[in-house]
Amino acid sequence: MARDQQSDALQKLRTYLKTKDFALNDRLPPERMLAEELGLTRSTLRNAMDVIESEGLIWRQVGRGTFIGARSVINLAEVRYLSSITRPSEISDARLIIEPELARLAALNSKQSDLRELRHCNSRCRSATDWRLFESWDNRFHYAVAVATRNKLLITVFETLNAVRRSSTWQTVRKTTGPTKGYPSLDEHAAIYDAIKSQNPDAAADAMRAHLGSVRTRLIGAVEE
């Protein structure tokens, strides 16, 4: 019964987040109010939020509250400013310069724990049934590549770039409710993972560059036409 209750709580929380149209870093209602709105006990809600937080959909800070998106170490005011002055094509250019080299270094420095995380993220991307969930795991996949470099400065550079990308005001119009089985990013992620696992830095950089080029063609071109 307890497992059924937790599954129900998780479904209620997912539905709530999906239908409220929150923006990145929006604050959720206080835990007491949210528990009442969803018809859950606070302990059951906390357990559901633990799962959602592990998926990168929310982050929590004691004394401040619960926020939409993955936790960022970057100053949010600076991120908002950079986002306001940056075009989508500029974000794409920056990604094409930085992320292939992160993938190259990840192929040289990654550990088994990094490979497990990359494989897990790719699997969750494939099983995602809506765009919000897919984009959360896509974001976590790219973050895992950065972490696999084992270079804290480069990880922070990536986090800054990624925070600007995720908080940009432009949005892509989706023609489907979620990614299809043939969605290009799925196989592109797999190619990046395979190259990193094989410790092939050139192939990892090339695979990341091809992926980001594909993303630019599919998502950026339509925005700036």
Side-chain angles (χ1 to χ4, degrees):
M1 181 65 69
R3 179 175 297 180
D4 290 341
Q5 290 177 344
Q6 191 57 49
S7 177
D8 179 62
L10 193 55
Q11 183 59 47
K12 286 182 176 179
L13 183 56
R14 289 191 194 281
T15 300
Y16 174 83
L17 295 176
K18 184 177 180 180
T19 57
K20 288 295 182 177
D21 195 28
F22 289 111
L24 182 69
N25 293 316
D26 278 352
R27 191 198 306 264
L28 295 183
E31 186 179 278
R32 176 184 56 78
M33 294 176 59
L34 187 55
E36 290 178 359
E37 182 172 352
L38 298 180
L40 302 172
T41 65
R42 294 179 70 172
S43 62
T44 302
L45 175 63
R46 285 193 203 103
N47 289 335
M49 291 179 78
D50 286 343
V51 175
I52 296 296
E53 185 173 23
S54 74
E55 295 175 349
L57 295 175
I58 61 171
W59 61 278
R60 292 178 283 184
Q61 185 171 35
V62 176
R64 290 191 61 198
T66 302
F67 302 85
I68 296 296
R71 181 184 300 274
S72 175
V73 299
I74 310 304
N75 184 293
L76 295 181
E78 292 178 359
V79 168
R80 285 192 291 269
Y81 169 70
L82 289 171
S83 177
S84 72
I85 63 172
T86 305
R87 289 166 57 86
S89 60
E90 293 173 329
I91 295 174
S92 179
D93 288 343
R95 294 188 76 190
L96 280 163
I97 290 170
I98 294 171
E99 292 195 53
E101 296 309 310
L102 295 180
R104 182 190 302 278
L105 197 58
L108 296 172
N109 295 342
S110 62
K111 299 182 179 181
Q112 286 300 313
S113 59
D114 300 314
L115 297 177
R116 285 194 298 270
E117 174 68 2
L118 287 167
R119 186 168 59 248
H120 177 59
C121 292
N122 200 18
S123 174
R124 295 304 297 266
C125 281
R126 288 186 181 276
S127 64
T129 56
D130 61 70
W131 286 114
R132 182 183 288 271
L133 191 56
F134 171 82
E135 288 166 358
S136 173
W137 284 103
D138 172 80
N139 176 71
R140 185 162 160 178
F141 176 87
H142 285 269
Y143 177 71
V145 173
V147 170
T149 67
R150 299 291 159 177
N151 185 309
K152 293 182 179 179
L153 178 57
L154 287 176
I155 294 170
T156 302
V157 169
F158 169 81
E159 287 180 324
T160 302
L161 170 60
N162 198 44
V164 173
R165 176 180 72 85
R166 298 193 74 199
S167 64
S168 291
T169 56
W170 58 273
Q171 294 182 355
T172 302
V173 177
R174 303 287 195 180
K175 296 182 179 180
T176 60
T177 58
T180 62
K181 290 184 178 180
Y183 189 61
S185 287
L186 301 175
D187 287 342
E188 291 162 4
H189 283 175
I192 295 166
Y193 166 76
D194 288 341
I196 293 174
K197 181 181 179 181
S198 300
Q199 299 181 310
N200 188 328
D202 289 340
D206 289 345
M208 180 64 81
R209 189 175 296 107
H211 169 51
L212 295 177
S214 173
V215 170
R216 182 185 181 108
T217 298
R218 286 182 281 114
L219 303 184
I220 305 299
V223 173
E224 296 197 340
E225 284 181 353

mmCIF file with all atom_site columns, all heavy atoms in Angstrom, residues 10-24:
data_model
loop_
_atom_site.group_PDB
_atom_site.id
_atom_site.type_symbol
_atom_site.label_atom_id
_atom_site.label_alt_id
_atom_site.label_comp_id
_atom_site.label_asym_id
_atom_site.label_entity_id
_atom_site.label_seq_id
_atom_site.pdbx_PDB_ins_code
_atom_site.Cartn_x
_atom_site.Cartn_y
_atom_site.Cartn_z
_atom_site.occupancy
_atom_site.B_iso_or_equiv
_atom_site.pdbx_formal_charge
_atom_site.auth_seq_id
_atom_site.auth_comp_id
_atom_site.auth_asym_id
_atom_site.auth_atom_id
_atom_site.pdbx_PDB_model_num
ATOM 1   N N   . LEU A 1 10 ? 3.777  10.740 -6.497  1.00 0.00 ? 10 LEU A N   1
ATOM 2   C CA  . LEU A 1 10 ? 4.719  11.124 -7.549  1.00 0.00 ? 10 LEU A CA  1
ATOM 3   C C   . LEU A 1 10 ? 3.974  11.542 -8.807  1.00 0.00 ? 10 LEU A C   1
ATOM 4   O O   . LEU A 1 10 ? 4.330  12.541 -9.455  1.00 0.00 ? 10 LEU A O   1
ATOM 5   C CB  . LEU A 1 10 ? 5.658  9.955  -7.842  1.00 0.00 ? 10 LEU A CB  1
ATOM 6   C CG  . LEU A 1 10 ? 6.903  10.232 -8.684  1.00 0.00 ? 10 LEU A CG  1
ATOM 7   C CD1 . LEU A 1 10 ? 7.728  11.357 -8.084  1.00 0.00 ? 10 LEU A CD1 1
ATOM 8   C CD2 . LEU A 1 10 ? 7.733  8.954  -8.811  1.00 0.00 ? 10 LEU A CD2 1
ATOM 9   N N   . GLN A 1 11 ? 2.929  10.808 -9.151  1.00 0.00 ? 11 GLN A N   1
ATOM 10  C CA  . GLN A 1 11 ? 2.138  11.149 -10.328 1.00 0.00 ? 11 GLN A CA  1
ATOM 11  C C   . GLN A 1 11 ? 1.447  12.496 -10.146 1.00 0.00 ? 11 GLN A C   1
ATOM 12  O O   . GLN A 1 11 ? 1.396  13.316 -11.075 1.00 0.00 ? 11 GLN A O   1
ATOM 13  C CB  . GLN A 1 11 ? 1.105  10.058 -10.595 1.00 0.00 ? 11 GLN A CB  1
ATOM 14  C CG  . GLN A 1 11 ? 0.270  10.287 -11.860 1.00 0.00 ? 11 GLN A CG  1
ATOM 15  C CD  . GLN A 1 11 ? 1.132  10.383 -13.095 1.00 0.00 ? 11 GLN A CD  1
ATOM 16  O OE1 . GLN A 1 11 ? 2.022  9.579  -13.328 1.00 0.00 ? 11 GLN A OE1 1
ATOM 17  N NE2 . GLN A 1 11 ? 0.886  11.416 -13.905 1.00 0.00 ? 11 GLN A NE2 1
ATOM 18  N N   . LYS A 1 12 ? 0.902  12.739 -8.964  1.00 0.00 ? 12 LYS A N   1
ATOM 19  C CA  . LYS A 1 12 ? 0.243  14.017 -8.697  1.00 0.00 ? 12 LYS A CA  1
ATOM 20  C C   . LYS A 1 12 ? 1.228  15.179 -8.818  1.00 0.00 ? 12 LYS A C   1
ATOM 21  O O   . LYS A 1 12 ? 0.905  16.236 -9.379  1.00 0.00 ? 12 LYS A O   1
ATOM 22  C CB  . LYS A 1 12 ? -0.380 14.013 -7.296  1.00 0.00 ? 12 LYS A CB  1
ATOM 23  C CG  . LYS A 1 12 ? -1.641 13.183 -7.171  1.00 0.00 ? 12 LYS A CG  1
ATOM 24  C CD  . LYS A 1 12 ? -2.215 13.290 -5.763  1.00 0.00 ? 12 LYS A CD  1
ATOM 25  C CE  . LYS A 1 12 ? -3.533 12.526 -5.653  1.00 0.00 ? 12 LYS A CE  1
ATOM 26  N NZ  . LYS A 1 12 ? -4.103 12.608 -4.281  1.00 0.00 ? 12 LYS A NZ  1
ATOM 27  N N   . LEU A 1 13 ? 2.429  14.991 -8.294  1.00 0.00 ? 13 LEU A N   1
ATOM 28  C CA  . LEU A 1 13 ? 3.426  16.055 -8.346  1.00 0.00 ? 13 LEU A CA  1
ATOM 29  C C   . LEU A 1 13 ? 3.887  16.302 -9.774  1.00 0.00 ? 13 LEU A C   1
ATOM 30  O O   . LEU A 1 13 ? 4.032  17.457 -10.203 1.00 0.00 ? 13 LEU A O   1
ATOM 31  C CB  . LEU A 1 13 ? 4.611  15.706 -7.444  1.00 0.00 ? 13 LEU A CB  1
ATOM 32  C CG  . LEU A 1 13 ? 5.717  16.758 -7.335  1.00 0.00 ? 13 LEU A CG  1
ATOM 33  C CD1 . LEU A 1 13 ? 5.152  18.101 -6.870  1.00 0.00 ? 13 LEU A CD1 1
ATOM 34  C CD2 . LEU A 1 13 ? 6.808  16.285 -6.379  1.00 0.00 ? 13 LEU A CD2 1
ATOM 35  N N   . ARG A 1 14 ? 4.105  15.233 -10.539 1.00 0.00 ? 14 ARG A N   1
ATOM 36  C CA  . ARG A 1 14 ? 4.505  15.385 -11.947 1.00 0.00 ? 14 ARG A CA  1
ATOM 37  C C   . ARG A 1 14 ? 3.430  16.147 -12.724 1.00 0.00 ? 14 ARG A C   1
ATOM 38  O O   . ARG A 1 14 ? 3.740  17.040 -13.523 1.00 0.00 ? 14 ARG A O   1
ATOM 39  C CB  . ARG A 1 14 ? 4.729  14.017 -12.589 1.00 0.00 ? 14 ARG A CB  1
ATOM 40  C CG  . ARG A 1 14 ? 5.959  13.271 -12.122 1.00 0.00 ? 14 ARG A CG  1
ATOM 41  C CD  . ARG A 1 14 ? 6.200  12.073 -13.048 1.00 0.00 ? 14 ARG A CD  1
ATOM 42  N NE  . ARG A 1 14 ? 7.154  11.144 -12.489 1.00 0.00 ? 14 ARG A NE  1
ATOM 43  C CZ  . ARG A 1 14 ? 8.470  11.311 -12.506 1.00 0.00 ? 14 ARG A CZ  1
ATOM 44  N NH1 . ARG A 1 14 ? 8.977  12.404 -13.026 1.00 0.00 ? 14 ARG A NH1 1
ATOM 45  N NH2 . ARG A 1 14 ? 9.268  10.398 -11.993 1.00 0.00 ? 14 ARG A NH2 1
ATOM 46  N N   . THR A 1 15 ? 2.178  15.775 -12.512 1.00 0.00 ? 15 THR A N   1
ATOM 47  C CA  . THR A 1 15 ? 1.072  16.428 -13.223 1.00 0.00 ? 15 THR A CA  1
ATOM 48  C C   . THR A 1 15 ? 0.991  17.903 -12.843 1.00 0.00 ? 15 THR A C   1
ATOM 49  O O   . THR A 1 15 ? 0.790  18.771 -13.703 1.00 0.00 ? 15 THR A O   1
ATOM 50  C CB  . THR A 1 15 ? -0.255 15.731 -12.896 1.00 0.00 ? 15 THR A CB  1
ATOM 51  O OG1 . THR A 1 15 ? -0.185 14.357 -13.303 1.00 0.00 ? 15 THR A OG1 1
ATOM 52  C CG2 . THR A 1 15 ? -1.412 16.396 -13.630 1.00 0.00 ? 15 THR A CG2 1
ATOM 53  N N   . TYR A 1 16 ? 1.183  18.186 -11.566 1.00 0.00 ? 16 TYR A N   1
ATOM 54  C CA  . TYR A 1 16 ? 1.148  19.567 -11.092 1.00 0.00 ? 16 TYR A CA  1
ATOM 55  C C   . TYR A 1 16 ? 2.225  20.402 -11.775 1.00 0.00 ? 16 TYR A C   1
ATOM 56  O O   . TYR A 1 16 ? 1.956  21.496 -12.288 1.00 0.00 ? 16 TYR A O   1
ATOM 57  C CB  . TYR A 1 16 ? 1.343  19.589 -9.577  1.00 0.00 ? 16 TYR A CB  1
ATOM 58  C CG  . TYR A 1 16 ? 1.460  20.964 -8.975  1.00 0.00 ? 16 TYR A CG  1
ATOM 59  C CD1 . TYR A 1 16 ? 0.325  21.712 -8.673  1.00 0.00 ? 16 TYR A CD1 1
ATOM 60  C CD2 . TYR A 1 16 ? 2.714  21.513 -8.717  1.00 0.00 ? 16 TYR A CD2 1
ATOM 61  C CE1 . TYR A 1 16 ? 0.434  22.982 -8.132  1.00 0.00 ? 16 TYR A CE1 1
ATOM 62  C CE2 . TYR A 1 16 ? 2.832  22.784 -8.173  1.00 0.00 ? 16 TYR A CE2 1
ATOM 63  C CZ  . TYR A 1 16 ? 1.695  23.511 -7.892  1.00 0.00 ? 16 TYR A CZ  1
ATOM 64  O OH  . TYR A 1 16 ? 1.810  24.772 -7.361  1.00 0.00 ? 16 TYR A OH  1
ATOM 65  N N   . LEU A 1 17 ? 3.444  19.903 -11.815 1.00 0.00 ? 17 LEU A N   1
ATOM 66  C CA  . LEU A 1 17 ? 4.549  20.639 -12.432 1.00 0.00 ? 17 LEU A CA  1
ATOM 67  C C   . LEU A 1 17 ? 4.339  20.816 -13.931 1.00 0.00 ? 17 LEU A C   1
ATOM 68  O O   . LEU A 1 17 ? 4.695  21.854 -14.500 1.00 0.00 ? 17 LEU A O   1
ATOM 69  C CB  . LEU A 1 17 ? 5.871  19.909 -12.173 1.00 0.00 ? 17 LEU A CB  1
ATOM 70  C CG  . LEU A 1 17 ? 6.326  19.827 -10.717 1.00 0.00 ? 17 LEU A CG  1
ATOM 71  C CD1 . LEU A 1 17 ? 7.589  18.987 -10.606 1.00 0.00 ? 17 LEU A CD1 1
ATOM 72  C CD2 . LEU A 1 17 ? 6.555  21.217 -10.137 1.00 0.00 ? 17 LEU A CD2 1
ATOM 73  N N   . LYS A 1 18 ? 3.746  19.816 -14.544 1.00 0.00 ? 18 LYS A N   1
ATOM 74  C CA  . LYS A 1 18 ? 3.543  19.852 -15.994 1.00 0.00 ? 18 LYS A CA  1
ATOM 75  C C   . LYS A 1 18 ? 2.467  20.854 -16.391 1.00 0.00 ? 18 LYS A C   1
ATOM 76  O O   . LYS A 1 18 ? 2.563  21.499 -17.444 1.00 0.00 ? 18 LYS A O   1
ATOM 77  C CB  . LYS A 1 18 ? 3.176  18.451 -16.493 1.00 0.00 ? 18 LYS A CB  1
ATOM 78  C CG  . LYS A 1 18 ? 3.042  18.335 -17.999 1.00 0.00 ? 18 LYS A CG  1
ATOM 79  C CD  . LYS A 1 18 ? 2.755  16.899 -18.399 1.00 0.00 ? 18 LYS A CD  1
ATOM 80  C CE  . LYS A 1 18 ? 2.608  16.761 -19.908 1.00 0.00 ? 18 LYS A CE  1
ATOM 81  N NZ  . LYS A 1 18 ? 2.322  15.356 -20.304 1.00 0.00 ? 18 LYS A NZ  1
ATOM 82  N N   . THR A 1 19 ? 1.434  21.001 -15.567 1.00 0.00 ? 19 THR A N   1
ATOM 83  C CA  . THR A 1 19 ? 0.287  21.819 -15.956 1.00 0.00 ? 19 THR A CA  1
ATOM 84  C C   . THR A 1 19 ? 0.381  23.272 -15.482 1.00 0.00 ? 19 THR A C   1
ATOM 85  O O   . THR A 1 19 ? -0.366 24.121 -15.983 1.00 0.00 ? 19 THR A O   1
ATOM 86  C CB  . THR A 1 19 ? -1.020 21.224 -15.396 1.00 0.00 ? 19 THR A CB  1
ATOM 87  O OG1 . THR A 1 19 ? -0.914 21.105 -13.965 1.00 0.00 ? 19 THR A OG1 1
ATOM 88  C CG2 . THR A 1 19 ? -1.271 19.838 -15.992 1.00 0.00 ? 19 THR A CG2 1
ATOM 89  N N   . LYS A 1 20 ? 1.309  23.585 -14.584 1.00 0.00 ? 20 LYS A N   1
ATOM 90  C CA  . LYS A 1 20 ? 1.377  24.942 -14.036 1.00 0.00 ? 20 LYS A CA  1
ATOM 91  C C   . LYS A 1 20 ? 2.212  25.905 -14.881 1.00 0.00 ? 20 LYS A C   1
ATOM 92  O O   . LYS A 1 20 ? 2.231  27.106 -14.624 1.00 0.00 ? 20 LYS A O   1
ATOM 93  C CB  . LYS A 1 20 ? 1.933  24.906 -12.609 1.00 0.00 ? 20 LYS A CB  1
ATOM 94  C CG  . LYS A 1 20 ? 0.959  24.331 -11.584 1.00 0.00 ? 20 LYS A CG  1
ATOM 95  C CD  . LYS A 1 20 ? -0.268 25.236 -11.445 1.00 0.00 ? 20 LYS A CD  1
ATOM 96  C CE  . LYS A 1 20 ? -1.212 24.688 -10.383 1.00 0.00 ? 20 LYS A CE  1
ATOM 97  N NZ  . LYS A 1 20 ? -2.381 25.580 -10.173 1.00 0.00 ? 20 LYS A NZ  1
ATOM 98  N N   . ASP A 1 21 ? 2.930  25.395 -15.859 1.00 0.00 ? 21 ASP A N   1
ATOM 99  C CA  . ASP A 1 21 ? 3.705  26.227 -16.775 1.00 0.00 ? 21 ASP A CA  1
ATOM 100 C C   . ASP A 1 21 ? 4.705  27.113 -16.032 1.00 0.00 ? 21 ASP A C   1
ATOM 101 O O   . ASP A 1 21 ? 4.809  28.322 -16.260 1.00 0.00 ? 21 ASP A O   1
ATOM 102 C CB  . ASP A 1 21 ? 2.756  27.102 -17.624 1.00 0.00 ? 21 ASP A CB  1
ATOM 103 C CG  . ASP A 1 21 ? 3.460  27.704 -18.836 1.00 0.00 ? 21 ASP A CG  1
ATOM 104 O OD1 . ASP A 1 21 ? 4.426  27.095 -19.322 1.00 0.00 ? 21 ASP A OD1 1
ATOM 105 O OD2 . ASP A 1 21 ? 3.036  28.783 -19.284 1.00 0.00 ? 21 ASP A OD2 1
ATOM 106 N N   . PHE A 1 22 ? 5.468  26.511 -15.119 1.00 0.00 ? 22 PHE A N   1
ATOM 107 C CA  . PHE A 1 22 ? 6.499  27.243 -14.399 1.00 0.00 ? 22 PHE A CA  1
ATOM 108 C C   . PHE A 1 22 ? 7.668  27.557 -15.329 1.00 0.00 ? 22 PHE A C   1
ATOM 109 O O   . PHE A 1 22 ? 7.981  26.788 -16.239 1.00 0.00 ? 22 PHE A O   1
ATOM 110 C CB  . PHE A 1 22 ? 7.028  26.421 -13.221 1.00 0.00 ? 22 PHE A CB  1
ATOM 111 C CG  . PHE A 1 22 ? 6.056  26.282 -12.081 1.00 0.00 ? 22 PHE A CG  1
ATOM 112 C CD1 . PHE A 1 22 ? 5.481  25.062 -11.789 1.00 0.00 ? 22 PHE A CD1 1
ATOM 113 C CD2 . PHE A 1 22 ? 5.740  27.378 -11.302 1.00 0.00 ? 22 PHE A CD2 1
ATOM 114 C CE1 . PHE A 1 22 ? 4.603  24.925 -10.730 1.00 0.00 ? 22 PHE A CE1 1
ATOM 115 C CE2 . PHE A 1 22 ? 4.848  27.250 -10.237 1.00 0.00 ? 22 PHE A CE2 1
ATOM 116 C CZ  . PHE A 1 22 ? 4.285  26.021 -9.948  1.00 0.00 ? 22 PHE A CZ  1
ATOM 117 N N   . ALA A 1 23 ? 8.337  28.672 -15.077 1.00 0.00 ? 23 ALA A N   1
ATOM 118 C CA  . ALA A 1 23 ? 9.572  29.003 -15.784 1.00 0.00 ? 23 ALA A CA  1
ATOM 119 C C   . ALA A 1 23 ? 10.763 28.552 -14.947 1.00 0.00 ? 23 ALA A C   1
ATOM 120 O O   . ALA A 1 23 ? 10.628 28.262 -13.748 1.00 0.00 ? 23 ALA A O   1
ATOM 121 C CB  . ALA A 1 23 ? 9.653  30.503 -16.037 1.00 0.00 ? 23 ALA A CB  1
ATOM 122 N N   . LEU A 1 24 ? 11.933 28.486 -15.570 1.00 0.00 ? 24 LEU A N   1
ATOM 123 C CA  . LEU A 1 24 ? 13.143 28.087 -14.863 1.00 0.00 ? 24 LEU A CA  1
ATOM 124 C C   . LEU A 1 24 ? 13.372 28.992 -13.657 1.00 0.00 ? 24 LEU A C   1
ATOM 125 O O   . LEU A 1 24 ? 13.267 30.215 -13.747 1.00 0.00 ? 24 LEU A O   1
ATOM 126 C CB  . LEU A 1 24 ? 14.339 28.166 -15.808 1.00 0.00 ? 24 LEU A CB  1
ATOM 127 C CG  . LEU A 1 24 ? 15.690 27.735 -15.234 1.00 0.00 ? 24 LEU A CG  1
ATOM 128 C CD1 . LEU A 1 24 ? 15.696 26.236 -14.975 1.00 0.00 ? 24 LEU A CD1 1
ATOM 129 C CD2 . LEU A 1 24 ? 16.826 28.130 -16.164 1.00 0.00 ? 24 LEU A CD2 1
#
